[in-house]
Amino acid sequence: MACHCLSGRTLTTVACDKLLTRRPLRLLTTARSQTNAGTTLRSVKSSHRHFFGSGSKHRLLTRASSQNVRPQHRILTQAGNQNPDIADRVVASVPYLIPLIDGLRYGKFFFAQFPAFAKLLAPLNPLVSLYFGVPFASFAVFFAVYLGIINNQNFSRYCRFNAMQAVLLDIVLILPGLIENVLRPPSSGPGLQAYISLYNSIWLFVFVCVAYGVGSCLIGQTPRLPFVADAADQQIR
């Protein structure tokens, strides 16, 4: 018995059966290999997307976290202690007595015009007498604050910053004294009035700065005095 194949040749039944059975096997094998290849390709693509997608997410999260952390770090660096305790507040406010005592010389005309204001500062008389009565007491106090508080890392930045502001304010008070030593003060006329007004202005500036600094320290705030706050920030690390 014979059958006709696609090639047009006549084959026996056995040969035809063998040919018909081999071709489906080959087709099935080819289909399975294509299916396995497609599955492998899809898994590679999905893993590729997952890898690069997770990497991009990681980069975005890292960038966002760095953007969120840096401003907080700058805020904390500039502000110092956010909630200073009672001891830090007292230590930070004490150095402001130095420019206050050194600035009393500029208030002599003001005290003559307003005697009641001088009585307000009467409790400081023992400290003033000790400060100006003991030889080199002013230098000893100055270096004690500078070396004992400002350069002492055991104290918080809040204490050291305020001590530095007080020291710089005290240094600023040296300049009017140097000018006074070079230029003789007038004895009468408009020059004397200008001289008195200058002294009163210096004293009021010092008193307001000290009152603002001490008051801010006692309530736990960070005072920033004009002319010296930025320099104190640069000196305190």
Side-chain angles (χ1 to χ4, degrees), residues 96 100 204-218 223 225:
Y96 287 106
L100 179 64
L204 289 176
F205 172 75
V206 173
F207 180 79
V208 170
C209 287
V210 171
Y212 168 63
V214 173
S216 298
C217 290
L218 292 180
L225 303 183

Side-chain angles (χ1 to χ4, degrees), residues 178-195:
L178 294 177
I179 296 174
E180 186 179 3
N181 291 332
V182 175
L183 301 175
R184 295 182 60 182
S187 57
S188 62
L192 179 60
Q193 294 298 323
Y195 179 72

Side-chain angles (χ1 to χ4, degrees), residues 10-37:
T10 303
L11 300 176
T12 61
T13 304
V14 176
C16 186
D17 292 338
K18 288 182 178 181
L19 182 60
L20 292 175
T21 55
R22 287 178 182 177
R23 289 181 63 85
L25 288 175
R26 291 177 182 176
L27 291 174
L28 181 61
T29 303
T30 304
R32 287 180 179 177
S33 62
Q34 290 177 355
T35 303
N36 293 333

